[in-house]
Amino acid sequence: MRKEVSHHAFTLVELIAVIVVLAVLAAVAVPRYFDYSSRARVSATASTFKTFDRAMWSFVRDNSAPLPGDVGWNFLPAGLDRYIEPGTLGATTNTPTPIGGVWDWNNGGAIGVPAVPNFNIFSPGASNPITATAAEFTAIDAIVDDGVLTTGRMRWLSNWGLHMRYEP
């Protein structure tokens, strides 16, 4: 006597339907993920700019002192550690910002930068390129300043990077 064995398998149509549903879900989810990722990078960068700004003006007010001198990439000016947690700008000179590049307090001008004190993000070379889009730069500026990268305190200089000016 022959036993009938029942095999339950998915048909080709059922498999294609599942693949189509998964593709539609991926098409909806992936752009949203990148949007959240971009907003997180913008928010983290703007937050650090604002934190540094508040700390710098508190330092000047509390110490009746001028803005401190240049200290190099990712380092806080002397005395500012009372106002901003060390490590906020990164642990080493090669620690990238959320949008790439490195943090820098510059007081005295540099090649291509006006001799106006500024806190900035710049790319020291291929090891730390700035990865933000123009829309992300504008979004950071909108949170920190006026939303226009050619006016206000925050500016974009193509040969230097994103910087916030401290004018007397």
Side-chain angles (χ1 to χ4, degrees), residues 32-167:
R32 285 191 171 271
Y33 167 77
F34 287 118
D35 184 48
Y36 289 133
S37 176
S38 174
R39 286 192 295 184
R41 290 167 17 116
V42 164
S43 178
T45 303
S47 175
T48 301
F49 266 112
K50 290 183 347 183
T51 299
F52 188 88
D53 189 45
R54 283 190 298 272
M56 186 59 72
W57 291 120
S58 294
F59 170 84
V60 169
R61 181 194 66 233
D62 293 351
N63 296 293
S64 298
L67 293 169
D70 195 353
V71 293
W73 311 339
N74 281 343
F75 293 101
L76 290 174
L80 204 63
D81 55 346
R82 283 185 28 208
Y83 303 93
I84 188 170
E85 186 176 328
T88 299
L89 305 184
T92 69
T93 58
N94 291 319
T95 302
T97 73
I99 62 168
V102 295
W103 297 109
D104 182 37
W105 166 251
N106 186 356
N107 189 354
I111 298 170
V113 178
V116 172
N118 61 83
F119 179 56
N120 60 70
I121 297 174
F122 80 103
S123 180
S127 63
N128 275 326
I130 295 175
T131 58
T133 64
E136 288 173 322
F137 287 133
T138 302
I140 292 165
D141 188 25
I143 294 169
V144 176
D145 192 25
D146 62 1
V148 180
L149 288 166
T150 57
T151 64
R153 290 182 57 215
M154 183 161 279
R155 307 280 176 100
W156 169 256
L157 297 176
S158 61
N159 61 334
W160 189 253
L162 187 64
H163 76 278
M164 184 164 54
R165 301 160 58 102
Y166 288 84
E167 304 210 39

